[in-house]
Amino acid sequence: MNVIRILPEKVASQIAAGEVIDRPASVVRELIDNSIDAGADRVVVNIEKGGKGLIKVVDNGSGMSRDDLLLSVERHATSKIANASDLFSVKFLGFRGEALPSIASVSRMAITSRPYEQVVAQRLRIAGGKLIAIEETGAPSGTIVEVRALFFNIPARRKFLRAVRTETYHIIDTVSRAALPFPEIGFRLDDTGKSILNLPASDQQLSRISVLMGRGFTEEVIDRHERNDELAISVYLAPSHLARSRGDRLFVYVNRRYIRDRFVTKAVMEGYGQRLMKGKYPQAILFIEIDPAKVDVNVHPAKQEVRFHDSRAVFNVIVSTIEKALARSSPVFFGSRPGSGIENHGKPQKANYVSEPLWNFARTTQGPRKTFVPEEDAWPGKSEDVQILGQLGNTYILCQVKDGFLMVDQHAAHERIVYEDLKKAIAAGQIEGQALLIPHELELTAREKEIVLQKGNQLTRFGIELDHFGGNTFLLRSVPAMLKDVQWNIFLSELITELGEKELEEYAVLNKVLTIMACHGAIRAGYHMKHEEMSNLLSELGETDLPTNCPHGRPTFKHFTYSEIEKMFKRIV
Ligand SMILES: Nc1ncnc2c1ncn2[C@@H]1O[C@H](COP(=O)(O)OP(=O)(O)OP(=O)(O)O)[C@@H](O)[C@H]1O
Ligand SMILES: [Mg+2]
């Protein structure tokens, strides 16, 4: 028979804490939220050992009296809502009265606080949820929260924390995300006394965006602001040629709360529409301001999800605002579907969008003949049997083969070739670098900077050399010789993100890096190819190990046999 027991209070609160606090970055997020809610205009975060040693948040906000301080670490104690109906119109970032007691139950914490009008501060100490002391002390007005030995009493959880630098990257992300919609608040993040992020207060939203998103984004950003009876929306969008292969630069805020929402992401993607290549995500920031009564924030323990009462209307406003913003400034992606009326005969709308064909530059290695090709998809022609008919929409190469015709996707095909060349070069030691005559200046984000300072030397193997110039600026001195006319800012930003995730030695990561390189180094759809270039591309594709698919797995070509064509025209059944 089952025996149901009520869990001891200590266990229950640790379980509840687990919902709210899962790593040092979530402590940082909760403490910053509290400082913002307390009306601070300056917040300084200090961490040690990726937050595993210390997380200290200092603000100059309202502070707490002795009684409030004692209450603040009690569960469900909040000054922000008073009754159930308030829950449906939350105006603060916090509302549950869960964060401080949760942190207190899994760490050794001290809170020092002084309201402006009081002369002395109070310092409260609590460990593993047990109050140790509260005493008077001297301190500036505002609040200082110090969290030490996170998860000291939950070894299982502590064991799951990642390396110091990984936790540090998460904290940099968290502070950046929290700071983005509050330009009027100055933020600083220090790691063991060394500043890693400094965001001075400003009355300009764009200046905050520029520090966090980098100069590349800001130089090309397209903004638009719309307002109707229901909501106000501000979008800051990077044009589609700055799209990334992951959605890590898509920031959505509802009433200045950062949220992750598949539904909003979908609306953003729809707004970009055909401007985006398949599998690409835009860089974009959205600020939605809506009557707090029309959105439910109480749906996720970490408060990162929301439900809109009228989600259709919100969806439509997002799509239309983005469409209008982009229509004003950027051309539709020229690899658009045939028949869409978009024509681009050999004239790329943005010069830097088009990569130079690789085969203008000597290939150093000759690949072996193909070794593995599934029968039905096999590359159907030796190069001498392939007769090029022409290029379709500057995107596809049409050619006649013995038993029909081929339609080759020039970007996918070239990606396969570049990918295999890179792979061979890596297997042989390293990818050859080519020094740039004039180093390319790169403005990195705080997180990217930390990654490059720690692991940048691993990039040498890929032919890439980066020098720290000062601040967030780096000089790109050498690039892989095989890649030409790449947009280095966006390429490196993707590569560095990958580098931050794991160790490059792992096969899967290496593969991913090479795929990113191939994608950036391959010619684009929309590039007008000369006959000779097409012919080189096809013969090189035939020599690759897997001519049928690009490194992402998309097909490189479609084969139509005469018998399929005849069936299509009902010549045969
Ligand atoms: N930095 C601070 N300055 C002033 N008051 C604070 C600060 N941090 C916390 N408080 C007070 O302590 C209370 C409890 O904080 P806590 O973070 O646990 O809950 P909350 O912010 O109300 O809700 P949530 O659990 O959603 O964060 C707050 O409601 C606030 O009154
Ligand atoms: Mg809070």
Side-chain angles (χ1 to χ4, degrees):
M1 202 178 80
N2 290 336
V3 180
I4 300 181
R5 289 188 203 88
I6 304 279
L7 290 174
E9 169 60 22
K10 195 172 155 231
V11 180
S13 62
Q14 282 186 357
I15 292 172
E19 294 281 299
V20 179
I21 304 299
D22 61 347
R23 63 186 336 157
S26 38
V27 174
V28 173
R29 183 191 64 225
E30 292 295 343
L31 296 182
I32 292 183
D33 278 3
N34 282 349
S35 298
I36 294 171
D37 282 346
D41 62 17
R42 179 154 183 76
V43 180
V44 179
V45 183
N46 203 334
I47 56 166
E48 284 173 17
K49 299 207 176 73
K52 294 191 262 186
L54 170 74
I55 297 166
K56 178 174 171 186
V57 175
V58 183
D59 71 48
N60 62 353
S62 64
M64 283 175 274
S65 65
R66 185 188 152 95
D67 288 349
D68 280 350
L69 188 53
L70 280 166
L71 267 180
S72 72
V73 291
E74 293 290 329
R75 291 192 60 203
H76 313 304
T78 178
S79 57
K80 298 171 193 173
I81 61 172
N83 50 46
S85 63
D86 286 353
L87 195 51
F88 301 106
S89 59
V90 174
K91 294 181 187 65
F92 291 98
L93 294 171
F95 53 86
R96 309 157 303 182
E98 284 274 7
L100 290 185
S102 296
I103 301 167
S105 73
V106 295
S107 71
R108 299 183 207 282
M109 178 161 88
I111 311 178
T112 310
S113 198
R114 172 164 86 81
Y116 184 73
E117 63 286 355
Q118 290 182 12
V119 268
V120 288
Q122 303 288 332
R123 181 173 165 88
L124 174 148
R125 282 185 296 131
I126 180 166
K130 227 173 124 243
L131 185 68
I132 295 179
I134 179 159
E135 55 212 3
E136 282 190 357
T137 179
S141 70
T143 301
I144 303 168
V145 182
E146 293 156 277
V147 178
R148 290 192 162 79
L150 186 64
F151 302 133
F152 78 95
N153 50 353
I154 314 183
R157 178 97 354 151
R158 194 164 172 91
K159 222 173 62 198
F160 273 105
L161 292 180
R162 305 274 302 275
V164 165
R165 59 170 180 247
T166 309
E167 297 299 341
T168 306
Y169 300 150
H170 279 285
I171 292 173
I172 297 175
D173 280 350
T174 298
V175 178
S176 307
R177 275 199 300 262
L180 204 50
F182 294 97
E184 72 279 17
I185 304 178
F187 288 90
R188 209 178 77 204
L189 171 63
D190 293 350
D191 182 0
T192 325
K194 192 180 115 256
S195 164
I196 46 179
L197 190 63
N198 194 6
L199 305 169
S202 154
D203 54 2
Q204 297 293 321
Q205 181 62 68
L206 252 182
S207 69
R208 177 62 48 93
I209 289 176
S210 126
V211 186
L212 288 172
M213 301 290 282
R215 210 191 292 155
F217 179 91
T218 321
E219 275 169 4
E220 301 207 45
V221 72
I222 306 152
D223 63 330
R224 190 172 177 101
H225 312 268
E226 298 269 334
R227 173 179 292 278
N228 63 24
D229 294 343
E230 294 293 311
L231 54 88
I233 178 169
S234 291
V235 298
Y236 296 84
L237 313 170
S240 52
H241 68 273
L242 293 182
R244 293 160 68 83
S245 41
R246 45 163 77 203
D248 59 346
R249 290 282 180 85
L250 179 55
F251 299 99
V252 180
Y253 295 85
V254 175
N255 295 342
R256 308 222 265 182
R257 178 194 305 281
Y258 171 76
I259 60 149
R260 287 168 193 283
D261 191 297
R262 285 183 39 213
F263 163 81
V264 175
T265 307
K266 200 159 164 261
V268 175
M269 304 293 281
E270 192 150 321
Y272 271 84
Q274 290 185 6
R275 289 176 178 81
L276 280 184
M277 270 206 274
K278 198 161 183 291
K280 291 280 179 182
Y281 296 86
Q283 299 193 51
I285 304 171
L286 269 74
F287 297 115
I288 299 169
E289 295 293 323
I290 185 166
D291 178 352
K294 299 208 161 120
V295 58
D296 183 2
V297 289
N298 189 26
V299 287
H300 184 254
K303 298 177 280 188
Q304 289 200 349
E305 282 172 24
V306 297
R307 297 246 195 293
F308 297 104
H309 292 193
D310 188 354
S311 53
R312 233 334 78 201
V314 176
F315 190 92
N316 291 340
V317 172
I318 297 173
V319 176
S320 78
T321 309
I322 294 179
E323 273 176 353
K324 281 187 221 154
L326 295 175
R328 204 177 60 187
S329 55
S330 70
V332 170
F333 166 58
F334 28 74
S336 53
R337 280 197 294 275
S340 63
I342 293 128
E343 300 200 349
N344 180 266
H345 294 293
K347 280 183 281 151
Q349 282 110 323
K350 257 201 193 311
N352 59 1
Y353 195 80
V354 178
S355 300
E356 200 149 310
L358 171 77
W359 48 90
N360 283 352
F361 304 89
R363 292 180 78 203
T364 43
T365 43
Q366 279 297 318
R369 301 297 292 185
K370 59 183 186 251
T371 47
F372 159 69
V373 178
E375 202 41 57
E376 62 276 24
D377 283 344
W379 177 242
K382 295 198 195 70
S383 52
E384 55 274 22
D385 298 333
V386 178
Q387 190 196 332
I388 295 169
L389 301 172
Q391 200 188 7
L392 180 69
N394 288 330
T395 300
Y396 304 99
I397 303 169
L398 303 183
C399 22
Q400 178 172 319
V401 285
K402 263 202 197 119
D403 57 349
F405 86 97
L406 296 182
M407 194 169 175
V408 181
D409 179 324
Q410 66 192 41
H411 175 68
H414 194 214
E415 253 183 315
R416 163 58 54 191
I417 298 166
V418 180
Y419 172 78
E420 291 200 5
D421 277 349
L422 290 168
K423 213 162 150 180
K424 276 169 211 140
I426 275 285
Q430 71 169 61
I431 295 170
E432 200 188 329
Q434 175 169 3
L436 292 175
L437 275 182
I438 304 164
H440 187 89
E441 206 180 301
L442 288 173
E443 193 68 16
L444 302 185
T445 64
R447 177 188 183 152
E448 290 166 350
K449 173 182 156 186
E450 283 305 303
I451 297 172
V452 173
L453 290 180
Q454 302 212 14
K455 299 187 175 176
N457 54 354
Q458 292 187 24
L459 289 173
T460 333
R461 240 184 114 198
F462 296 88
I464 297 168
E465 274 176 46
L466 279 173
D467 273 355
H468 191 194
F469 188 66
N472 283 6
T473 310
F474 285 76
L475 295 180
L476 178 61
R477 295 201 177 275
S478 164
V479 297
M482 286 179 195
L483 310 186
K484 299 289 169 189
D485 269 0
V486 173
Q487 278 196 303
W488 296 114
N489 312 14
I490 177 102
F491 164 69
L492 277 160
S493 165
E494 281 194 25
L495 203 62
I496 293 165
T497 310
E498 203 55 47
L499 192 64
E501 302 281 309
K502 299 202 182 76
E503 295 308 318
L504 274 182
E505 301 317 315
E506 285 174 41
Y507 176 78
V509 185
L510 191 66
N511 226 15
K512 189 103 187 266
V513 168
L514 296 184
T515 305
I516 293 175
M517 291 178 87
C519 184
H520 281 268
I523 51 153
R524 304 279 151 176
Y527 176 79
H528 176 72
M529 295 178 78
K530 296 195 197 78
H531 189 277
E532 192 194 344
E533 291 174 335
M534 293 194 269
S535 141
N536 284 342
L537 177 98
L538 296 177
S539 64
E540 290 184 359
L541 181 66
E543 283 170 13
T544 59
D545 286 343
L546 190 61
T548 50
N549 297 83
C550 82
H552 301 102
R554 284 203 298 123
T556 49
F557 66 88
K558 273 277 181 211
H559 183 192
F560 299 88
T561 60
Y562 283 121
S563 78
E564 282 169 326
I565 297 169
E566 278 160 7
K567 269 189 206 149
M568 208 156 79
F569 287 102
K570 311 233 182 288
R571 284 172 167 271
I572 54 169
V573 280

